[in-house]
Amino acid sequence: LEMSPEIAGMSLFISCAFLTFVAKSIRKSCKHSKNFKTANNTLPSQKQEEMIIEYKSVLNRLIENDTRPQSPSAKLMSRHDATGDVIFQKRKTFFRSVLDRCGIKHSCKIIHVAGTKGKGSTVEYISSGLIGSGSNVGIFSSPHLHTARERLKIGREIISIEDLIRIGKKTLALFEDCNWSYVMFDKMVTLALHYFGERDIEYMVLETGIGGRYDSTNFAESVAACVITSISLDHQALLGNTLEEIAWQKAGIIKKGSHVFTSANQKECVLDVIRKQCTSLDAILHIIDSDRSSLDGLELHTPYKVQVENACLAGAVLRHLDVSCNGMKNFYWPCRMEAFHLTTATDSLVVLDGCHNEDSVVHFLEGLQDRYPSRKVLTMFGAGDEKCVQEMLLQVVQRSHSVVLLRSKHMRAVPEMFLWNSISEESKGMVLQLTDKETTTIAEKMTLLLDDLTTKGTTGDYVVAICGSLFVASEARECLYRMDPTLFDPKDWVTQSDY
């Protein structure tokens, strides 16, 4: 299966556009460094403030994309033909060189995870099991919610500001003479390898970015396990318009002779692509049933079917590694079916999820209906303009009692009017107009809605679902923190926001 160069060539262009937005956000936050709080939510001292300014300066440089005129074009870098393969091999050689020199032991076992949805949760379940067994684990994941430091963890701890400054400078120096075009993701992978090399890790759990076959994390020649989570239509402009094309991209992480784990719930056409890739590389395929009984005795909180699927997949990987699954009970992954019971509004329930395609929206809202049958679902929805917005909105209106339209601060966020025009005339009556203002932030709309439900005494009648993208969910999470900080652990990432 191959994608046209024209479609594939958009990959780096869109990544660059997104990262330009993030860079602008970081630059803006640098101007207001006095608003930055330390991990214990106190204002920083002068020395800490100087460190924060340096941190944001380094982070800004890490976020910036390669703008050298001599660099290969985005289209060339993403092409899935002979030219594109040459450029990808240059990048792979670079990361192999970093891996060989960064200090990570050859005995370190790598678990590589790709998929459309559930890969972050599966990474967290696997990592929780490994950490619970006493292993020293390096974890690389993306995107982040509140701080870029979330992407790099040793066990439960995100990289410190001091370490990101120090290793970030070393990373930036390595990219000064690169002969291939690069983006933030490449630099963060490099930073992660150096950070893990200093920490004597026994396991490295890597989550791919978009795709897998041409991903910057796809540098290892051998791995302890390849994991492919649920595959559905998403990022079609980058990965292809069919499930088979997308599956071909994800299956690109499979290594010769490796053990490959995927769910029996995959569509048959997806399984066919994975089987074909395994056969061509003499890889051993493990197709895992989503059987809740296999999780008995683990004390897992998995009220939703999709959580069971991810947990079963992770459990199979851990058993293959001869590692106890008991640590999975310490699973923690924000903005994934994350529920908050607000003390400021009687019996109010807010659930956040970063679902960002049609299939994941269905799983999320159906899960809420099963979990809270006595409550009506009131959905607050916003999305990015590269997503299947109309398809997602159709599922939202079919599975919600009422709807509030949102627009996040992200530069690719869809305007509320576009969302409104995407809803059928017969369903427009479901949309709540909370204010006459033309532009309203997520925080303002959340406050208006919860105040209105409290005034009417109807908070207990609803579960407020906030979804459509991780950017929407993370903004909502920060709003909840401002409403009631006691909802969060003092070390929660929301207390260490870059913005």
Side-chain angles (χ1 to χ4, degrees):
L1 293 169
E2 292 189 358
M3 294 167 53
S4 70
E6 289 73 20
I7 292 176
M10 295 178 65
S11 175
L12 194 62
F13 171 78
I14 291 178
S15 297
C16 291
F18 160 65
L19 292 168
T20 299
F21 162 77
V22 179
K24 288 179 179 177
S25 298
I26 291 288
R27 291 188 190 103
K28 183 178 179 182
S29 68
C30 283
K31 296 177 182 178
H32 303 285
S33 62
K34 289 185 179 180
N35 295 328
F36 191 102
K37 300 284 187 76
T38 59
N40 62 1
N41 204 34
T42 59
L43 288 172
S45 65
Q46 182 176 348
K47 185 175 180 180
Q48 288 172 320
E49 193 171 311
E50 290 171 355
M51 180 180 67
I52 290 164
I53 291 172
E54 184 178 19
Y55 161 69
K56 291 189 174 183
S57 174
V58 171
L59 186 57
N60 187 39
R61 292 171 62 201
L62 288 168
I63 285 170
E64 287 176 345
N65 299 313
D66 183 11
T67 57
R68 296 169 301 166
Q70 73 272 23
S71 298
S73 69
K75 191 166 186 176
L76 277 177
M77 185 176 171
S78 304
R79 276 170 54 173
H80 300 171
D81 58 12
T83 303
D85 284 341
V86 167
I87 295 171
F88 172 69
Q89 286 303 322
K90 286 185 179 181
R91 298 164 69 224
K92 187 173 182 179
T93 299
F94 172 86
F95 288 112
R96 285 292 305 169
S97 174
V98 173
L99 179 65
D100 290 342
R101 293 181 298 168
C102 69
I104 295 176
K105 293 180 178 178
H106 292 296
S107 59
C108 175
K109 296 181 175 68
I110 299 174
I111 297 101
H112 202 186
V113 182
T116 303
K117 62 180 189 290
K119 57 181 178 175
S121 297
T122 303
V123 163
E124 173 59 17
Y125 275 123
I126 293 171
S127 301
S128 294
L130 294 171
I131 295 165
S133 71
S135 298
N136 195 22
V137 187
I139 306 158
F140 177 81
S141 60
S142 64
H144 60 270
L145 299 175
H146 308 296
T147 170
R149 294 187 290 125
E150 297 166 28
R151 295 173 180 242
L152 292 77
K153 296 189 288 292
I154 297 293
R156 294 289 173 203
E157 297 297 321
I158 64 176
I159 187 172
S160 68
I161 290 176
E162 296 89 340
D163 283 337
L164 189 137
I165 292 171
R166 180 176 53 80
I167 305 174
K169 289 177 179 178
K170 181 192 299 185
T171 297
L172 290 166
L174 288 175
F175 281 86
E176 289 179 357
D177 299 317
C178 263
N179 62 352
W180 47 272
S181 190
Y182 52 82
V183 293
M184 173 194 179
F185 191 82
D186 299 312
K187 288 182 275 189
M188 294 304 284
V189 172
T190 305
L191 201 159
L193 292 175
H194 281 103
Y195 181 50
F196 297 161
E198 291 184 359
R199 297 304 182 99
D200 195 27
I201 59 171
E202 299 164 87
Y203 288 92
M204 178 162 46
V205 186
L206 296 173
E207 177 186 352
T208 63
I210 296 173
R213 184 173 296 271
Y214 296 97
D215 195 76
S216 296
T217 61
N218 198 19
F219 52 78
E221 296 298 331
S222 63
V223 295
C226 297
V227 186
I228 301 176
T229 64
S230 179
I231 291 177
S232 54
L233 294 176
D234 196 18
H235 295 295
Q236 288 97 310
L238 313 182
L239 304 178
N241 294 314
T242 68
L243 287 175
E244 290 89 344
E245 287 177 308
I246 295 172
W248 179 79
Q249 290 283 350
K250 309 294 185 182
I253 70 167
I254 296 172
K255 311 296 187 294
K256 186 173 181 61
S258 61
H259 285 263
V260 181
F261 296 80
T262 197
S263 172
N265 292 345
Q266 299 275 24
K267 295 285 196 318
E268 193 59 36
C269 63
V270 170
L271 287 174
D272 285 344
V273 173
I274 295 172
R275 287 190 188 102
K276 183 177 179 181
Q277 184 76 359
C278 287
T279 299
S280 68
L281 293 170
D282 294 323
I284 302 163
L285 178 60
H286 306 262
I287 300 177
I288 309 303
D289 290 326
S290 297
D291 182 2
R292 192 181 288 271
S293 64
S294 68
L295 306 175
D296 288 348
L298 295 180
E299 302 177 35
L300 296 186
H301 181 65
T302 52
Y304 304 102
K305 291 178 182 177
V306 66
Q307 291 176 318
V308 173
E309 179 178 322
N310 296 332
C312 287
L313 199 52
V317 173
L318 290 170
R319 284 188 288 271
H320 165 69
L321 297 172
D322 198 23
V323 172
S324 170
C325 297
N326 289 337
M328 288 172 60
K329 65 185 177 185
N330 297 317
F331 171 90
Y332 172 70
W333 203 230
C335 286
R336 278 74 169 186
M337 295 184 172
E338 185 178 21
F340 293 90
H341 294 269
L342 273 66
T343 57
T344 53
T346 306
D347 203 24
S348 62
L349 173 63
V350 177
V351 184
L352 311 179
D353 196 87
C355 53
H356 53 267
N357 70 1
E358 182 182 8
D359 194 48
S360 58
V361 167
V362 170
H363 278 88
F364 173 52
L365 296 179
E366 286 185 349
L368 289 182
Q369 290 168 336
D370 291 342
R371 177 68 171 163
Y372 307 104
S374 64
R375 292 185 184 240
K376 292 173 278 192
V377 177
L378 196 167
T379 303
M380 306 185 79
F381 177 87
D385 65 4
E386 78 280 10
K387 301 297 181 179
C388 44
V389 176
Q390 291 180 317
E391 292 85 350
M392 286 195 289
L393 268 173
L394 178 62
Q395 301 303 330
V396 167
V397 298
Q398 287 179 351
R399 290 170 171 79
S400 305
H401 176 269
S402 46
V403 178
V404 175
L405 302 178
L406 304 173
R407 184 179 189 178
S408 76
K409 298 173 185 175
H410 192 278
M411 71 168 186
R412 299 191 67 86
V414 172
E416 290 176 28
M417 186 53 67
F418 181 91
L419 297 176
W420 170 261
N421 291 333
S422 300
I423 297 175
S424 64
E425 290 300 320
E426 59 268 25
S427 298
K428 279 183 164 63
M430 297 175 59
V431 180
L432 301 181
Q433 304 294 343
L434 299 174
T435 175
D436 294 330
K437 288 175 63 177
E438 253 183 61
T439 58
T440 314
T441 66
I442 290 175
E444 288 172 327
K445 285 205 169 182
M446 285 179 64
T447 301
L448 287 168
L449 176 65
L450 293 172
D451 285 350
D452 183 59
L453 294 178
T454 301
T455 300
K456 293 176 180 176
T458 57
T459 52
D461 296 341
Y462 297 94
V463 52
V464 178
I466 304 179
C467 65
S469 82
L470 274 173
F471 303 108
V472 167
S474 63
E475 274 189 49
R477 200 169 188 269
E478 291 180 2
C479 175
L480 290 172
Y481 174 67
R482 290 191 293 272
M483 287 181 178
D484 185 0
T486 64
L487 293 169
F488 298 85
D489 185 281
K491 291 186 177 181
D492 193 284
W493 305 332
V494 74
T495 69
Q496 304 178 58
S497 175
D498 289 335
Y499 313 106

